[in-house]
PDB file of all heavy atoms in Angstrom:
ATOM      1  N   ALA A 348      -5.103   3.323  -7.381  1.00 94.00           N
ATOM      2  CA  ALA A 348      -4.173   3.146  -8.508  1.00 94.00           C
ATOM      3  C   ALA A 348      -3.686   1.699  -8.562  1.00 94.00           C
ATOM      4  O   ALA A 348      -3.157   1.170  -7.579  1.00 94.00           O
ATOM      5  CB  ALA A 348      -2.987   4.087  -8.360  1.00 94.00           C
ATOM      6  N   GLU A 349      -3.856   1.066  -9.705  1.00 95.00           N
ATOM      7  CA  GLU A 349      -3.460  -0.341  -9.857  1.00 95.00           C
ATOM      8  C   GLU A 349      -1.962  -0.529  -9.614  1.00 95.00           C
ATOM      9  O   GLU A 349      -1.545  -1.529  -9.023  1.00 95.00           O
ATOM     10  CB  GLU A 349      -3.828  -0.846 -11.251  1.00 95.00           C
ATOM     11  CG  GLU A 349      -3.545  -2.325 -11.445  1.00 95.00           C
ATOM     12  CD  GLU A 349      -3.990  -2.830 -12.808  1.00 95.00           C
ATOM     13  OE1 GLU A 349      -4.639  -2.044 -13.539  1.00 95.00           O
ATOM     14  OE2 GLU A 349      -3.684  -3.990 -13.133  1.00 95.00           O
ATOM     15  N   LYS A 350      -1.157   0.445 -10.046  1.00 96.00           N
ATOM     16  CA  LYS A 350       0.297   0.300  -9.869  1.00 96.00           C
ATOM     17  C   LYS A 350       0.685   0.292  -8.394  1.00 96.00           C
ATOM     18  O   LYS A 350       1.670  -0.363  -8.014  1.00 96.00           O
ATOM     19  CB  LYS A 350       1.040   1.404 -10.615  1.00 96.00           C
ATOM     20  CG  LYS A 350       0.814   2.804 -10.093  1.00 96.00           C
ATOM     21  CD  LYS A 350       1.658   3.809 -10.859  1.00 96.00           C
ATOM     22  CE  LYS A 350       1.492   5.228 -10.307  1.00 96.00           C
ATOM     23  NZ  LYS A 350       2.340   6.203 -11.056  1.00 96.00           N
ATOM     24  N   ILE A 351      -0.079   0.983  -7.565  1.00 96.00           N
ATOM     25  CA  ILE A 351       0.185   0.972  -6.123  1.00 96.00           C
ATOM     26  C   ILE A 351      -0.149  -0.394  -5.546  1.00 96.00           C
ATOM     27  O   ILE A 351       0.609  -0.948  -4.734  1.00 96.00           O
ATOM     28  CB  ILE A 351      -0.630   2.066  -5.404  1.00 96.00           C
ATOM     29  CG1 ILE A 351      -0.160   3.467  -5.846  1.00 96.00           C
ATOM     30  CG2 ILE A 351      -0.519   1.924  -3.893  1.00 96.00           C
ATOM     31  CD1 ILE A 351       1.261   3.798  -5.437  1.00 96.00           C
ATOM     32  N   ARG A 352      -1.262  -0.980  -5.988  1.00 95.00           N
ATOM     33  CA  ARG A 352      -1.638  -2.309  -5.505  1.00 95.00           C
ATOM     34  C   ARG A 352      -0.600  -3.348  -5.936  1.00 95.00           C
ATOM     35  O   ARG A 352      -0.262  -4.257  -5.169  1.00 95.00           O
ATOM     36  CB  ARG A 352      -3.030  -2.677  -6.021  1.00 95.00           C
ATOM     37  CG  ARG A 352      -4.127  -1.701  -5.559  1.00 95.00           C
ATOM     38  CD  ARG A 352      -5.507  -2.285  -5.759  1.00 95.00           C
ATOM     39  NE  ARG A 352      -5.817  -2.519  -7.164  1.00 95.00           N
ATOM     40  CZ  ARG A 352      -6.399  -1.635  -7.971  1.00 95.00           C
ATOM     41  NH1 ARG A 352      -6.717  -0.430  -7.494  1.00 95.00           N
ATOM     42  NH2 ARG A 352      -6.678  -1.923  -9.223  1.00 95.00           N
ATOM     43  N   GLU A 353      -0.087  -3.191  -7.148  1.00 95.00           N
ATOM     44  CA  GLU A 353       0.949  -4.115  -7.620  1.00 95.00           C
ATOM     45  C   GLU A 353       2.228  -3.943  -6.809  1.00 95.00           C
ATOM     46  O   GLU A 353       2.904  -4.934  -6.470  1.00 95.00           O
ATOM     47  CB  GLU A 353       1.222  -3.875  -9.105  1.00 95.00           C
ATOM     48  CG  GLU A 353       0.068  -4.281 -10.014  1.00 95.00           C
ATOM     49  CD  GLU A 353       0.333  -3.908 -11.472  1.00 95.00           C
ATOM     50  OE1 GLU A 353       1.327  -3.194 -11.723  1.00 95.00           O
ATOM     51  OE2 GLU A 353      -0.467  -4.329 -12.340  1.00 95.00           O
ATOM     52  N   GLU A 354       2.557  -2.689  -6.490  1.00 96.00           N
ATOM     53  CA  GLU A 354       3.766  -2.441  -5.701  1.00 96.00           C
ATOM     54  C   GLU A 354       3.651  -3.047  -4.306  1.00 96.00           C
ATOM     55  O   GLU A 354       4.629  -3.579  -3.767  1.00 96.00           O
ATOM     56  CB  GLU A 354       4.037  -0.936  -5.592  1.00 96.00           C
ATOM     57  CG  GLU A 354       5.318  -0.622  -4.829  1.00 96.00           C
ATOM     58  CD  GLU A 354       5.644   0.853  -4.783  1.00 96.00           C
ATOM     59  OE1 GLU A 354       4.884   1.660  -5.355  1.00 96.00           O
ATOM     60  OE2 GLU A 354       6.677   1.189  -4.166  1.00 96.00           O
ATOM     61  N   ILE A 355       2.461  -2.997  -3.730  1.00 96.00           N
ATOM     62  CA  ILE A 355       2.252  -3.597  -2.408  1.00 96.00           C
ATOM     63  C   ILE A 355       2.538  -5.092  -2.452  1.00 96.00           C
ATOM     64  O   ILE A 355       3.214  -5.641  -1.573  1.00 96.00           O
ATOM     65  CB  ILE A 355       0.817  -3.327  -1.911  1.00 96.00           C
ATOM     66  CG1 ILE A 355       0.677  -1.859  -1.512  1.00 96.00           C
ATOM     67  CG2 ILE A 355       0.452  -4.242  -0.740  1.00 96.00           C
ATOM     68  CD1 ILE A 355      -0.721  -1.449  -1.115  1.00 96.00           C
ATOM     69  N   GLY A 356       2.020  -5.772  -3.481  1.00 94.00           N
ATOM     70  CA  GLY A 356       2.274  -7.199  -3.625  1.00 94.00           C
ATOM     71  C   GLY A 356       3.764  -7.497  -3.754  1.00 94.00           C
ATOM     72  O   GLY A 356       4.281  -8.435  -3.129  1.00 94.00           O
ATOM     73  N   GLN A 357       4.461  -6.701  -4.538  1.00 95.00           N
ATOM     74  CA  GLN A 357       5.905  -6.897  -4.725  1.00 95.00           C
ATOM     75  C   GLN A 357       6.660  -6.685  -3.419  1.00 95.00           C
ATOM     76  O   GLN A 357       7.573  -7.448  -3.077  1.00 95.00           O
ATOM     77  CB  GLN A 357       6.417  -5.937  -5.797  1.00 95.00           C
ATOM     78  CG  GLN A 357       5.887  -6.234  -7.196  1.00 95.00           C
ATOM     79  CD  GLN A 357       6.231  -5.130  -8.188  1.00 95.00           C
ATOM     80  OE1 GLN A 357       6.852  -4.131  -7.849  1.00 95.00           O
ATOM     81  NE2 GLN A 357       5.800  -5.304  -9.445  1.00 95.00           N
ATOM     82  N   ARG A 358       6.285  -5.653  -2.688  1.00 96.00           N
ATOM     83  CA  ARG A 358       6.966  -5.366  -1.422  1.00 96.00           C
ATOM     84  C   ARG A 358       6.719  -6.469  -0.398  1.00 96.00           C
ATOM     85  O   ARG A 358       7.618  -6.852   0.352  1.00 96.00           O
ATOM     86  CB  ARG A 358       6.501  -4.008  -0.876  1.00 96.00           C
ATOM     87  CG  ARG A 358       7.096  -2.816  -1.623  1.00 96.00           C
ATOM     88  CD  ARG A 358       6.588  -1.516  -1.044  1.00 96.00           C
ATOM     89  NE  ARG A 358       7.234  -0.354  -1.640  1.00 96.00           N
ATOM     90  CZ  ARG A 358       8.349   0.216  -1.192  1.00 96.00           C
ATOM     91  NH1 ARG A 358       8.957  -0.303  -0.115  1.00 96.00           N
ATOM     92  NH2 ARG A 358       8.870   1.272  -1.778  1.00 96.00           N
ATOM     93  N   LEU A 359       5.491  -6.965  -0.337  1.00 96.00           N
ATOM     94  CA  LEU A 359       5.199  -8.050   0.594  1.00 96.00           C
ATOM     95  C   LEU A 359       6.006  -9.297   0.275  1.00 96.00           C
ATOM     96  O   LEU A 359       6.538  -9.964   1.166  1.00 96.00           O
ATOM     97  CB  LEU A 359       3.696  -8.371   0.569  1.00 96.00           C
ATOM     98  CG  LEU A 359       2.770  -7.331   1.207  1.00 96.00           C
ATOM     99  CD1 LEU A 359       1.314  -7.680   0.924  1.00 96.00           C
ATOM    100  CD2 LEU A 359       3.010  -7.248   2.710  1.00 96.00           C
ATOM    101  N   ARG A 360       6.119  -9.607  -1.011  1.00 95.00           N
ATOM    102  CA  ARG A 360       6.905 -10.790  -1.413  1.00 95.00           C
ATOM    103  C   ARG A 360       8.394 -10.604  -1.139  1.00 95.00           C
ATOM    104  O   ARG A 360       9.134 -11.576  -0.971  1.00 95.00           O
ATOM    105  CB  ARG A 360       6.662 -11.095  -2.894  1.00 95.00           C
ATOM    106  CG  ARG A 360       5.267 -11.679  -3.176  1.00 95.00           C
ATOM    107  CD  ARG A 360       5.116 -12.145  -4.612  1.00 95.00           C
ATOM    108  NE  ARG A 360       5.060 -11.019  -5.542  1.00 95.00           N
ATOM    109  CZ  ARG A 360       3.933 -10.387  -5.879  1.00 95.00           C
ATOM    110  NH1 ARG A 360       2.784 -10.748  -5.316  1.00 95.00           N
ATOM    111  NH2 ARG A 360       3.953  -9.391  -6.746  1.00 95.00           N
ATOM    112  N   SER A 361       8.826  -9.339  -1.048  1.00 94.00           N
ATOM    113  CA  SER A 361      10.232  -9.054  -0.747  1.00 94.00           C
ATOM    114  C   SER A 361      10.500  -9.015   0.754  1.00 94.00           C
ATOM    115  O   SER A 361      11.647  -8.828   1.175  1.00 94.00           O
ATOM    116  CB  SER A 361      10.635  -7.702  -1.361  1.00 94.00           C
ATOM    117  OG  SER A 361      10.507  -7.738  -2.762  1.00 94.00           O
ATOM    118  N   GLY A 362       9.453  -9.169   1.549  1.00 93.00           N
ATOM    119  CA  GLY A 362       9.619  -9.186   3.002  1.00 93.00           C
ATOM    120  C   GLY A 362       9.427  -7.843   3.678  1.00 93.00           C
ATOM    121  O   GLY A 362       9.676  -7.713   4.883  1.00 93.00           O
ATOM    122  N   ASP A 363       8.980  -6.828   2.941  1.00 96.00           N
ATOM    123  CA  ASP A 363       8.737  -5.512   3.542  1.00 96.00           C
ATOM    124  C   ASP A 363       7.463  -5.544   4.386  1.00 96.00           C
ATOM    125  O   ASP A 363       6.563  -6.357   4.149  1.00 96.00           O
ATOM    126  CB  ASP A 363       8.574  -4.440   2.464  1.00 96.00           C
ATOM    127  CG  ASP A 363       9.843  -4.201   1.669  1.00 96.00           C
ATOM    128  OD1 ASP A 363      10.888  -4.800   2.027  1.00 96.00           O
ATOM    129  OD2 ASP A 363       9.791  -3.422   0.703  1.00 96.00           O
ATOM    130  N   ARG A 364       7.411  -4.661   5.376  1.00 97.00           N
ATOM    131  CA  ARG A 364       6.168  -4.467   6.125  1.00 97.00           C
ATOM    132  C   ARG A 364       5.372  -3.382   5.409  1.00 97.00           C
ATOM    133  O   ARG A 364       5.913  -2.323   5.057  1.00 97.00           O
ATOM    134  CB  ARG A 364       6.454  -4.045   7.566  1.00 97.00           C
ATOM    135  CG  ARG A 364       7.284  -5.048   8.367  1.00 97.00           C
ATOM    136  CD  ARG A 364       6.512  -6.325   8.672  1.00 97.00           C
ATOM    137  NE  ARG A 364       5.469  -6.133   9.657  1.00 97.00           N
ATOM    138  CZ  ARG A 364       5.640  -6.355  10.975  1.00 97.00           C
ATOM    139  NH1 ARG A 364       6.817  -6.732  11.438  1.00 97.00           N
ATOM    140  NH2 ARG A 364       4.625  -6.201  11.814  1.00 97.00           N
ATOM    141  N   VAL A 365       4.080  -3.611   5.203  1.00 98.00           N
ATOM    142  CA  VAL A 365       3.241  -2.699   4.442  1.00 98.00           C
ATOM    143  C   VAL A 365       2.048  -2.263   5.289  1.00 98.00           C
ATOM    144  O   VAL A 365       1.375  -3.090   5.904  1.00 98.00           O
ATOM    145  CB  VAL A 365       2.747  -3.348   3.133  1.00 98.00           C
ATOM    146  CG1 VAL A 365       1.773  -2.432   2.410  1.00 98.00           C
ATOM    147  CG2 VAL A 365       3.924  -3.701   2.235  1.00 98.00           C
ATOM    148  N   PHE A 366       1.796  -0.947   5.292  1.00 98.00           N
ATOM    149  CA  PHE A 366       0.696  -0.390   6.069  1.00 98.00           C
ATOM    150  C   PHE A 366      -0.046   0.650   5.234  1.00 98.00           C
ATOM    151  O   PHE A 366       0.569   1.409   4.484  1.00 98.00           O
ATOM    152  CB  PHE A 366       1.220   0.280   7.345  1.00 98.00           C
ATOM    153  CG  PHE A 366       1.951  -0.660   8.262  1.00 98.00           C
ATOM    154  CD1 PHE A 366       3.312  -0.893   8.090  1.00 98.00           C
ATOM    155  CD2 PHE A 366       1.292  -1.319   9.283  1.00 98.00           C
ATOM    156  CE1 PHE A 366       3.998  -1.760   8.920  1.00 98.00           C
ATOM    157  CE2 PHE A 366       1.968  -2.202  10.116  1.00 98.00           C
ATOM    158  CZ  PHE A 366       3.327  -2.417   9.936  1.00 98.00           C
ATOM    159  N   ILE A 367      -1.350   0.665   5.388  1.00 98.00           N
ATOM    160  CA  ILE A 367      -2.158   1.726   4.784  1.00 98.00           C
ATOM    161  C   ILE A 367      -2.871   2.446   5.921  1.00 98.00           C
ATOM    162  O   ILE A 367      -3.123   1.857   6.980  1.00 98.00           O
ATOM    163  CB  ILE A 367      -3.182   1.180   3.768  1.00 98.00           C
ATOM    164  CG1 ILE A 367      -4.158   0.202   4.433  1.00 98.00           C
ATOM    165  CG2 ILE A 367      -2.478   0.501   2.605  1.00 98.00           C
ATOM    166  CD1 ILE A 367      -5.295  -0.245   3.535  1.00 98.00           C
ATOM    167  N   TYR A 368      -3.154   3.724   5.718  1.00 98.00           N
ATOM    168  CA  TYR A 368      -3.855   4.446   6.775  1.00 98.00           C
ATOM    169  C   TYR A 368      -5.046   5.206   6.211  1.00 98.00           C
ATOM    170  O   TYR A 368      -5.037   5.680   5.074  1.00 98.00           O
ATOM    171  CB  TYR A 368      -2.919   5.366   7.558  1.00 98.00           C
ATOM    172  CG  TYR A 368      -2.271   6.490   6.781  1.00 98.00           C
ATOM    173  CD1 TYR A 368      -2.862   7.754   6.711  1.00 98.00           C
ATOM    174  CD2 TYR A 368      -1.029   6.311   6.159  1.00 98.00           C
ATOM    175  CE1 TYR A 368      -2.253   8.796   6.034  1.00 98.00           C
ATOM    176  CE2 TYR A 368      -0.410   7.352   5.477  1.00 98.00           C
ATOM    177  CZ  TYR A 368      -1.028   8.590   5.424  1.00 98.00           C
ATOM    178  OH  TYR A 368      -0.426   9.626   4.745  1.00 98.00           O
ATOM    179  N   PHE A 369      -6.089   5.266   7.048  1.00 97.00           N
ATOM    180  CA  PHE A 369      -7.337   5.942   6.704  1.00 97.00           C
ATOM    181  C   PHE A 369      -7.503   7.171   7.586  1.00 97.00           C
ATOM    182  O   PHE A 369      -7.182   7.150   8.772  1.00 97.00           O
ATOM    183  CB  PHE A 369      -8.536   5.023   6.969  1.00 97.00           C
ATOM    184  CG  PHE A 369      -8.642   3.848   6.050  1.00 97.00           C
ATOM    185  CD1 PHE A 369      -7.896   2.699   6.284  1.00 97.00           C
ATOM    186  CD2 PHE A 369      -9.506   3.867   4.962  1.00 97.00           C
ATOM    187  CE1 PHE A 369      -8.001   1.602   5.452  1.00 97.00           C
ATOM    188  CE2 PHE A 369      -9.620   2.771   4.116  1.00 97.00           C
ATOM    189  CZ  PHE A 369      -8.862   1.632   4.360  1.00 97.00           C
ATOM    190  N   ASP A 370      -7.998   8.230   6.988  1.00 96.00           N
ATOM    191  CA  ASP A 370      -8.484   9.368   7.764  1.00 96.00           C
ATOM    192  C   ASP A 370      -9.562  10.036   6.925  1.00 96.00           C
ATOM    193  O   ASP A 370      -9.849   9.606   5.812  1.00 96.00           O
ATOM    194  CB  ASP A 370      -7.315  10.298   8.159  1.00 96.00           C
ATOM    195  CG  ASP A 370      -7.313  11.603   7.407  1.00 96.00           C
ATOM    196  OD1 ASP A 370      -7.382  11.562   6.167  1.00 96.00           O
ATOM    197  OD2 ASP A 370      -7.250  12.663   8.046  1.00 96.00           O
ATOM    198  N   GLU A 371     -10.164  11.077   7.451  1.00 94.00           N
ATOM    199  CA  GLU A 371     -11.338  11.672   6.801  1.00 94.00           C
ATOM    200  C   GLU A 371     -11.109  12.032   5.341  1.00 94.00           C
ATOM    201  O   GLU A 371     -11.985  11.818   4.491  1.00 94.00           O
ATOM    202  CB  GLU A 371     -11.762  12.929   7.579  1.00 94.00           C
ATOM    203  CG  GLU A 371     -13.050  13.542   7.057  1.00 94.00           C
ATOM    204  CD  GLU A 371     -13.457  14.773   7.838  1.00 94.00           C
ATOM    205  OE1 GLU A 371     -12.702  15.151   8.764  1.00 94.00           O
ATOM    206  OE2 GLU A 371     -14.513  15.348   7.546  1.00 94.00           O
ATOM    207  N   LYS A 372      -9.934  12.565   5.008  1.00 93.00           N
ATOM    208  CA  LYS A 372      -9.662  13.006   3.641  1.00 93.00           C
ATOM    209  C   LYS A 372      -8.757  12.048   2.868  1.00 93.00           C
ATOM    210  O   LYS A 372      -8.457  12.293   1.701  1.00 93.00           O
ATOM    211  CB  LYS A 372      -9.001  14.390   3.661  1.00 93.00           C
ATOM    212  CG  LYS A 372      -9.840  15.463   4.344  1.00 93.00           C
ATOM    213  CD  LYS A 372     -11.160  15.694   3.603  1.00 93.00           C
ATOM    214  CE  LYS A 372     -11.986  16.765   4.283  1.00 93.00           C
ATOM    215  NZ  LYS A 372     -13.288  16.990   3.604  1.00 93.00           N
ATOM    216  N   LEU A 373      -8.345  10.964   3.490  1.00 95.00           N
ATOM    217  CA  LEU A 373      -7.374  10.063   2.858  1.00 95.00           C
ATOM    218  C   LEU A 373      -7.866   8.621   2.831  1.00 95.00           C
ATOM    219  O   LEU A 373      -7.140   7.690   3.117  1.00 95.00           O
ATOM    220  CB  LEU A 373      -6.022  10.145   3.599  1.00 95.00           C
ATOM    221  CG  LEU A 373      -5.361  11.526   3.580  1.00 95.00           C
ATOM    222  CD1 LEU A 373      -4.149  11.548   4.505  1.00 95.00           C
ATOM    223  CD2 LEU A 373      -4.957  11.901   2.162  1.00 95.00           C
ATOM    224  N   GLY A 374      -9.121   8.465   2.488  1.00 94.00           N
ATOM    225  CA  GLY A 374      -9.680   7.121   2.409  1.00 94.00           C
ATOM    226  C   GLY A 374     -10.937   6.961   3.223  1.00 94.00           C
ATOM    227  O   GLY A 374     -11.638   5.950   3.121  1.00 94.00           O
TER     228      GLY A 374
END
């Protein structure tokens, strides 16, 4: 989802820590 990618950029610029996780059914 493009809006999720945009939100990640906004959070990083705000100083938040951002993590994504992979598993068999989730990426």
Side-chain angles (χ1 to χ4, degrees):
E349 184 177 353
K350 66 177 183 179
I351 294 295
R352 300 195 296 270
E353 291 175 351
E354 182 177 359
I355 287 175
Q357 293 171 359
R358 285 179 174 270
L359 289 172
R360 288 188 289 272
S361 298
D363 294 355
R364 300 291 288 266
V365 175
F366 300 87
I367 60 173
Y368 63 92
F369 291 82
D370 108 308
E371 185 180 2
K372 301 297 180 181
L373 298 172

